[in-house]
């Protein structure tokens, strides 16, 4: 079973629209990360959230960690074509060594 | 600053042929190193991780092996490739039990 469930799997929107993607689990995490991956490249870390209820903003991207630290959301305001990519959430596994478990990702396509 | 390199960028190999993918990290010492495989547009599956020279842990049973002959060098190998080995292979590094991982540009492998 997948530890992290990401939804939707795919999202296609027009430039200027808003979007939200979700990362859910039945487990509690000490922290959660969001990565963005562009085609043919490796994922790049966007943000780490560590406190229940925490909200972090990165320009037009808003990240929220659920109060119970079981879920997270990523909201993009006024999306631009440069926001196109695969958005992945990830958490550390319980056996440490810095191992991460990733969700399956949400593919976002923003068309001009 | 730290950088991570992978090569080759793209590889097309026949079934039954051997494989060697290389990953090197610069600008850090004693990193944790990771090999992931990614199906098209989907999440990352951890294949191997290493916390030091000669120390390799396998996450899933498979046709592949990994080696770490030097502190900042991580190699993914196979003696005989299968069709199912096709995919996008990503190398990543991290420090200790810190959760952030930094990814290389990836190698796209197509087995025919």
């Amino acid at each position: 079973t997948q530890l992290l469930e990401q939804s939707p799997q795919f999202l296609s929107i027009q430039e200027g629209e808003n979007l939200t993607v979700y990362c859910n689990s039945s487990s509690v995490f000490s922290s959660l990360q969001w990565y963005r991956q562009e085609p043919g490249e490796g994922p790049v870390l966007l943000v780490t959230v560590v406190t229940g209820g925490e909200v972090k903003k990165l320009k037009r991207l808003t990240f929220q960690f659920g109060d119970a630290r079981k879920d997270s959301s990523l909201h993009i305001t006024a999306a631009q074509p440069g926001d196109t990519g695969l958005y992945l959430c990830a958490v550390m596994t319980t056996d440490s060594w810095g191992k991460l478990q990733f969700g399956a990702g949400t593919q976002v396509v923003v068309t001009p | 600053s730290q950088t991570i390199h992978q090569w080759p960028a793209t590889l097309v190999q026949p079934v039954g042929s051997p494989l060697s993918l290389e990953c090197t990290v610069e600008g850090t010492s004693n990193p944790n190193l990771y090999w992931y495989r990614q199906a098209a547009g989907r999440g990352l599956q951890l294949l191997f991780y290493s916390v030091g020279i000669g120390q390799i842990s396998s996450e899933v049973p498979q046709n592949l092996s990994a080696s770490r002959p030097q502190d900042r060098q991580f190699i993914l190998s196979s003696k005989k490739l299968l069709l199912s080995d096709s995919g996008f292979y990503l190398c990543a590094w991290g420090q200790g039990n810190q959760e952030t991982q930094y990814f290389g540009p990836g190698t796209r492998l197509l087995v025919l």
Side-chain angles (χ1 to χ4, degrees), chain B residues 26-90:
Chain B
E26 297 176 357
T28 186
S29 59
N30 197 30
N32 293 340
L33 296 172
Y34 309 87
W35 277 112
Y36 293 88
R37 179 167 55 205
Q38 184 177 32
R42 304 309 293 159
L44 281 65
Q45 179 187 35
L46 181 62
L47 302 176
F48 300 96
Y49 71 95
S50 171
V51 299
I53 296 174
Q55 300 179 62
I56 308 294
S57 295
S58 174
E59 287 293 292
V60 293
Q62 58 201 298
N63 184 44
L64 303 168
S65 62
S67 61
R68 185 171 177 174
Q70 300 180 45
D71 181 45
R72 289 170 286 179
Q73 183 184 29
F74 205 22
I75 297 172
L76 185 69
S77 304
S78 174
K79 292 182 179 179
K80 289 185 179 181
L81 284 168
L82 305 173
L83 288 174
S84 58
D85 292 324
S86 293
F88 191 47
Y89 289 84
L90 288 157

Side-chain angles (χ1 to χ4, degrees), chain A residues 29 31-32 49-54 63-67 69 71-72:
Chain A
F29 304 112
S31 65
L32 184 145
V49 286
V50 296
T51 305
E54 180 179 9
F63 304 85
Q64 185 163 6
F65 202 15
D67 291 340
R69 290 183 288 123
D71 52 75
S72 181

Side-chain angles (χ1 to χ4, degrees), chain A residues 6-23 34-36 46 56 58-64 72-88 105-111:
Chain A
Q6 289 193 245
S7 61
Q9 289 188 6
F10 182 80
L11 194 55
S12 179
I13 61 171
Q14 296 285 328
E15 182 176 2
E17 294 181 342
N18 302 332
L19 67 100
T20 302
V21 299
Y22 301 92
C23 177
W34 284 96
Y35 289 79
R36 178 171 65 209
L46 295 173
K56 281 191 173 179
L58 185 65
K59 297 183 180 178
R60 293 175 293 98
L61 278 62
T62 302
F63 304 85
Q64 185 163 6
S72 181
S73 64
L74 159 58
H75 181 79
I76 301 179
T77 303
Q80 299 177 1
D83 295 324
T84 293
L86 181 67
Y87 289 82
L88 297 157
T106 294
Q107 182 65 53
V108 172
V109 175
V110 183
T111 54

Side-chain angles (χ1 to χ4, degrees), chain B residues 15 17 25 41:
Chain B
V15 169
S17 64
V25 181

Side-chain angles (χ1 to χ4, degrees), chain A residues 31 37 92 97-99 104, chain B residues 34 38 42-43 59 97 99 101:
Chain A
S31 65
Q37 183 180 21
M92 282 187 71
W97 299 117
K99 289 162 52 182
Chain B
Y34 309 87
Q38 184 177 32
R42 304 309 293 159
E59 287 293 292
N97 62 356
E99 54 210 349
Q101 291 186 13

